[in-house]
Amino acid sequence: MIIKDAQFVISNTDYRKCPQDGKPEYAFIGRSNVGKSSLINMLTNRKGLAMTSSKPGKTQLINHFIINNEWYLVDLPGYGYAQRGKDGREQIRKIIDNYILKRTELTCLFLLLDCRHEPQKIDLDFINWLGEEGIPFVIVFTKTDKISKGRLKDNSEAYINKLHETWEEIPTIFYTSSEQRAGGDEILDYIDNINKSLKGK
């Protein structure tokens, strides 16, 4: 898929105020500072489409971007940002949960994981919650340029082995680097194939 047009549409804290035109939505989520905005900018080839920041917790809204006037890329708030405080974390959690559980247009959730880290409980809990709720999702390892290929293999295998403890089938996995522009085509092809299958129904 070639992205010819990507436009910001709307920001919300309420899933009910999101676009009502029924177009499929592909949402991106991860822990704070996982490289989500950089990945979105790389995918769309728009340098400043999503706001990047070295400060975690920048995204606090549900942000919709219309892509090729066919589907929405949705930038969700990051979860688990400790410095937000308990009330702030709870507010963000409600925004995320309501969107994921109640937004019927959500077609696939892209869960971003920083490949530099070994399996984190907060991520594994989130993955298992998605599974329990029957949410379609894939895993995206980010920042693959930051570690050696050997360590990338070890860390990703550690995640897969951990998931095998509770999952019979491991979700689709992508490996990305925003700086090296790696993995973006694979993600866009994945989205394109789903869109084509939806049109064929």
Side-chain angles (χ1 to χ4, degrees):
M1 180 200 301
I2 296 172
I3 291 185
K4 298 174 183 174
D5 189 53
Q7 301 286 336
F8 169 76
V9 177
I10 195 168
S11 291
N12 276 303
T13 57
D14 187 344
Y15 75 97
R16 290 166 295 193
K17 295 178 182 176
C18 294
Q20 300 295 320
D21 55 13
K23 288 182 171 65
E25 297 182 2
Y26 297 87
F28 288 71
I29 193 169
R31 291 181 72 183
S32 296
N33 224 20
V34 75
K36 181 164 50 73
S37 296
S38 296
L39 180 65
I40 289 171
N41 292 337
M42 186 263 282
L43 288 173
T44 57
N45 205 24
R46 305 292 193 281
K47 195 171 183 182
L49 192 71
M51 293 298 291
T52 58
S53 173
S54 57
K55 184 181 178 183
K58 187 76 172 172
T59 307
Q60 299 185 37
L61 300 166
I62 304 166
N63 298 302
H64 275 71
F65 303 91
I66 184 74
I67 308 297
N68 292 346
N69 204 33
E70 290 181 353
W71 55 278
Y72 289 103
L73 189 158
V74 183
D75 183 8
L76 293 174
Y79 58 84
Y81 180 43
Q83 285 178 266
R84 207 176 251 136
K86 188 177 179 182
D87 290 345
R89 287 199 305 274
E90 184 63 20
Q91 184 182 2
I92 293 294
R93 189 186 66 78
K94 283 182 180 176
I95 293 170
I96 293 169
D97 287 6
N98 282 333
Y99 174 85
I100 290 173
L101 296 177
K102 299 176 182 178
R103 184 69 177 163
T104 56
E105 289 83 356
L106 175 61
T107 304
C108 185
L109 184 72
F110 288 77
L111 173 60
L112 277 56
L113 302 173
D114 188 331
C115 73
R116 297 175 297 179
H117 305 305
E118 295 179 357
Q120 305 285 308
K121 184 179 185 298
I122 188 171
D123 292 322
L124 294 168
D125 287 348
F126 191 74
I127 288 170
N128 289 327
W129 175 73
L130 293 174
E132 289 164 6
E133 297 294 341
I135 305 299
F137 75 100
V138 300
I139 291 172
V140 180
F141 283 109
T142 62
K143 305 186 181 184
T144 58
D145 59 294
K146 304 296 185 189
I147 58 174
S148 67
K149 287 183 179 178
R151 187 149 167 250
L152 173 61
K153 184 172 180 286
D154 290 343
N155 286 358
S156 58
E157 281 183 356
Y159 257 105
I160 291 166
N161 291 336
K162 198 73 181 169
L163 289 176
H164 271 306
E165 294 176 10
T166 49
W167 289 72
E168 287 183 20
E169 193 175 330
I170 302 300
T172 298
I173 297 176
F174 296 97
Y175 298 87
T176 66
S177 163
S178 299
E179 286 193 14
Q180 295 180 346
R181 305 193 61 79
D185 289 343
E186 289 82 357
I187 289 175
L188 292 176
D189 286 346
Y190 186 83
I191 292 171
D192 195 35
N193 287 332
I194 295 176
N195 285 340
K196 285 175 179 173
S197 70
L198 292 175
K199 287 178 183 176
K201 282 185 178 179

